[in-house]
Amino acid sequence: MNALLEVRDLGISFGGVKAVDGLTFSVGRGEIVSVIGPNGAGKTSAFNCVTGFYKPSRGRVVLDGSDITGWSPFAVAAAGVARTFQNLRLFPNLTVLDNVRAGMHLRGGQNAFDALLRTPRFKRAERFLTEEAHRWLDFVGYEGPRGGPVRDLPYGRQRQVEIARALAREAPLVLLDEPGAGLNHGEKGALLGLIRRIRDLGRTVVLIEHDMGLVMEVSERVVVLDHGREIADGTPAQVKADPAVVEAYLGREG
Amino acid sequence: MGRWVGPAGLLVAVAIPFVDASPYTLNVLTTAAIFVMLAAGLNIVVGYCGLLDLGYVAFMAVGAYTSGILSTAFELPLLYTIPAVLVVAVLAALVIGAPTLRLRSDYLAIVTLGFGEIIRITATNLDFTGGPTGIFGIPGIDVGGPAGFYFVCVAVVALAVLGSARLERSRLGRAWMFIREDEDAAEAMGVNTYRVKLLAYVFGAIWGASAGVLFAAHLSAVSPQSFVFLQSALVLMAVVLGGMGSARGVVVGAVVISVVPEVLRDLGAFRYVFFGVVLVVVMVLRPQGLWPVRRREPERVDAPVQEGVRV
């Protein structure tokens, strides 16, 4: 299997603290991979390096064969990476539909002159965006109001909108940063099914997650970080039995 | 009801001269129309894109001076200067925007304030801009006296307001609002935020410079005193008072800001005190503005798509 995402010897530090320190891992096409680790292990920092929000101080990030290290976030997005954020980053005053349309920004289909003159091309593009936005909201199982501002929604629904927005990007790689945080038991069950359906679309899913039940259930492979390094990499069963992982989470025995 | 608001407002604007066509009234109305255009332009920058610009009147100055200088120096009709005005406006937006738009919030506000003053002080000190006295004898747009010119202004301003509202409900307008709402999330969606912010400046500059041409034609003179910081502050006030990001709101805000001081003229020197109190009271009671955006759209695809519902 050729790798879609390769992270090689990645490093970034903040004022002497090495948040990510020589991280190497790869993600194959069509895989569901979880990145786990204790708080402060560098998971989100690694995500931010991959997506261009942080500039890594060393190492390479290679997406589908091309080196995207140090690219700005919009260029990484255009190269084919969609992401969600650990703490929801929706556009609060815009409608649910507009939030999902944001994911389709790169698909274009109209320019400012089309918009000013309301050309047939503009109307076609807008109709397409609306239909697609509805389609993605349906896909994630969203059952709330769609024409009103997203800030009025309960937390679980906002999570769904954020995932719909990321999927609407039609990017081959989807990074989900703690998609299960703050969800109740039923919502987590639905999330599990959703992650599998995302993979079945042919997307590759990488998630950061704290809920071990969810991780062990959904992941095909688990990468474990501690102190900014990879300490284990394998199937959920292998990782669970790995002494280094047990130590990182529970501390050394005796 | 929503879609009739614009045409109704236009009808009122066109009807007033048939009720009262005194030179004084026409002067107030024309000034108000030009002010509406400025507010519509600044609304693109501040309201849609969320970039606080405290020197917006600089773009109006660029438009007024460019058309004034070209028309007097080459004895051109004012309309012929418009292509040059647009080019200079776009260049001004790029020159001011390119270095400053990498800054965020407060820093951007301070720098735009500086640029506004630089443009004015430059105009005061250069020879070809006429120095402190400015430029006189700019040919007007002669279409049947002051009333005719007012109707020209109303037509241009109506198109400008419609245009800004249409931009709002488009890919570019949404990108502006994504940046306003959350710049990082916008980047993650693939929005080239620097370029999109620069485009907000460019459109704002085109609106402002075009208002400047109407201004030059109206007064047949331009001088640096017309482009002081207070003017930028008043336009910003119109946008905030009307409702930031609301195409209809800023029209109302601009009309209030330009007409109320005239209505209060009988109060003499106290009118600005009274005006200030009115503004404070309005902002306390309605912090979201007189006519804020109410973002709603149809729930489902099969629901009839109503144009203009989301303004």
Side-chain angles (χ1 to χ4, degrees), chain A residues 160-182:
Chain A
Q160 288 181 312
V161 175
E162 204 193 21
I163 294 176
R165 182 179 73 175
L167 294 179
R169 294 259 300 95
E170 301 264 15
L173 181 62
V174 182
L175 307 181
L176 304 175
D177 196 347
E178 294 201 31

Side-chain angles (χ1 to χ4, degrees), chain B residues 73-110:
Chain B
F74 303 104
E75 294 182 6
L76 286 171
L78 212 55
L79 287 178
Y80 287 28
T81 67
I82 286 175
V85 167
L86 295 180
V87 170
V88 176
V90 171
L91 286 178
L94 296 178
V95 166
I96 297 179
T100 58
L101 287 175
R102 301 206 185 268
L103 302 171
R104 287 194 184 187
S105 62
D106 317 8
Y107 304 102
L108 179 66
I110 300 295

Side-chain angles (χ1 to χ4, degrees), chain B residues 256-281:
Chain B
V256 169
I257 296 283
S258 55
V259 173
V260 168
E262 293 301 325
V263 174
L264 297 175
R265 203 165 263 284
D266 293 342
L267 296 176
F270 285 106
R271 67 186 168 133
Y272 281 109
V273 176
F274 186 76
F275 185 49
V277 171
V278 168
L279 288 177
V280 170
V281 169

Side-chain angles (χ1 to χ4, degrees), chain B residues 86-149:
Chain B
L86 295 180
V87 170
V88 176
V90 171
L91 286 178
L94 296 178
V95 166
I96 297 179
T100 58
L101 287 175
R102 301 206 185 268
L103 302 171
R104 287 194 184 187
S105 62
D106 317 8
Y107 304 102
L108 179 66
I110 300 295
V111 173
T112 55
L113 178 65
F115 266 109
E117 290 299 283
I118 287 170
I119 297 274
R120 182 177 63 83
I121 293 166
T122 307
T124 312
N125 289 296
L126 286 180
D127 285 334
F128 74 94
T129 56
T133 48
I135 294 169
F136 295 91
I138 298 168
I141 298 172
D142 194 14
V143 277
F149 179 67

Side-chain angles (χ1 to χ4, degrees), chain B residues 30 33 46 105-106 129 150 182 187 206 233 239 274 277 281 290 299:
Chain B
T30 306
V46 179
S105 62
D106 317 8
T129 56
Y150 168 68
D182 189 328
E187 283 238 358
I206 290 172
V239 172
F274 186 76
V277 171
V281 169
L290 292 171
E299 286 293 324

Side-chain angles (χ1 to χ4, degrees), chain B residues 165-186:
Chain B
R166 284 185 163 185
L167 282 175
E168 182 202 351
R169 283 170 285 121
S170 75
R171 177 170 179 263
L172 179 59
R174 281 191 297 267
W176 286 334
M177 289 185 280
F178 299 151
I179 292 174
R180 179 191 73 199
E181 297 284 309
D182 189 328
E183 194 164 340
D184 288 336

Side-chain angles (χ1 to χ4, degrees), chain B:
Chain B
M1 166 234 157
R3 61 197 309 173
W4 299 109
V5 169
L10 186 59
L11 201 66
V12 170
V14 171
I16 297 174
F18 294 100
V19 179
D20 178 358
S22 69
Y24 168 72
T25 306
L26 282 174
N27 182 35
V28 171
L29 289 175
T30 306
T31 307
I34 294 169
F35 200 68
V36 167
M37 180 135 185
L38 286 171
L42 184 63
N43 188 40
I44 293 174
V45 179
V46 179
Y48 298 161
C49 202
L51 304 166
L52 185 50
D53 185 342
L54 295 178
Y56 183 65
V57 82
F59 294 123
M60 185 195 187
V62 164
Y65 270 104
T66 306
S67 68
I69 291 167
L70 291 178
S71 61
T72 51
F74 303 104
E75 294 182 6
L76 286 171
L78 212 55
L79 287 178
Y80 287 28
T81 67
I82 286 175
V85 167
L86 295 180
V87 170
V88 176
V90 171
L91 286 178
L94 296 178
V95 166
I96 297 179
T100 58
L101 287 175
R102 301 206 185 268
L103 302 171
R104 287 194 184 187
S105 62
D106 317 8
Y107 304 102
L108 179 66
I110 300 295
V111 173
T112 55
L113 178 65
F115 266 109
E117 290 299 283
I118 287 170
I119 297 274
R120 182 177 63 83
I121 293 166
T122 307
T124 312
N125 289 296
L126 286 180
D127 285 334
F128 74 94
T129 56
T133 48
I135 294 169
F136 295 91
I138 298 168
I141 298 172
D142 194 14
V143 277
F149 179 67
Y150 168 68
F151 290 130
V152 170
C153 286
V154 167
V156 172
V157 173
L159 284 178
V161 172
L162 179 68
S164 70
R166 284 185 163 185
L167 282 175
E168 182 202 351
R169 283 170 285 121
S170 75
R171 177 170 179 263
L172 179 59
R174 281 191 297 267
W176 286 334
M177 289 185 280
F178 299 151
I179 292 174
R180 179 191 73 199
E181 297 284 309
D182 189 328
E183 194 164 340
D184 288 336
E187 283 238 358
M189 296 302 120
V191 177
N192 184 342
T193 51
Y194 181 65
R195 188 166 162 270
V196 168
K197 286 194 279 188
L198 214 46
L199 280 174
Y201 256 47
V202 166
F203 278 97
I206 290 172
W207 265 234
S210 308
V213 177
L214 294 178
F215 179 81
H218 180 46
L219 297 185
S220 78
V222 284
S223 72
Q225 295 93 286
S226 305
F227 310 109
V228 291
F229 169 67
L230 177 67
Q231 196 64 27
S232 290
L234 285 173
V235 184
L236 183 62
M237 207 191 285
V239 172
V240 175
L241 181 74
M244 285 208 272
S246 160
R248 290 163 184 175
V250 300
V251 173
V252 174
V255 170
V256 169
I257 296 283
S258 55
V259 173
V260 168
E262 293 301 325
V263 174
L264 297 175
R265 203 165 263 284
D266 293 342
L267 296 176
F270 285 106
R271 67 186 168 133
Y272 281 109
V273 176
F274 186 76
F275 185 49
V277 171
V278 168
L279 288 177
V280 170
V281 169
V282 169
M283 290 323 297
V284 168
L285 297 179
R286 276 188 83 81
Q288 73 277 40
L290 292 171
W291 196 342
V293 205
R294 226 186 40 238
R295 213 158 281 287
R296 285 269 157 216
E297 58 180 313
E299 286 293 324
R300 291 299 324 189
V301 196
D302 34 275
V305 177
Q306 284 171 277
E307 283 276 298
V309 163
R310 293 173 44 237
V311 174

Side-chain angles (χ1 to χ4, degrees), chain A residues 188-244:
Chain A
K188 275 188 182 163
L191 177 64
L192 200 80
L194 175 59
I195 291 171
R196 291 197 176 119
R197 283 189 293 123
I198 293 171
R199 196 267 317 272
D200 293 342
L201 290 172
R203 316 280 184 93
T204 303
V205 183
V206 179
L207 62 153
I208 291 177
E209 190 46 71
H210 269 300
D211 185 315
M212 283 306 141
L214 187 68
V215 168
M216 296 304 163
E217 183 78 21
V218 78
S219 319
E220 291 159 341
R221 202 150 61 77
V222 179
V223 174
V224 190
L225 304 195
D226 193 23
H227 299 296
R229 292 170 169 279
E230 186 190 84
I231 58 168
D233 184 341
T235 64
Q238 287 168 340
V239 162
K240 231 188 298 193
D242 193 314

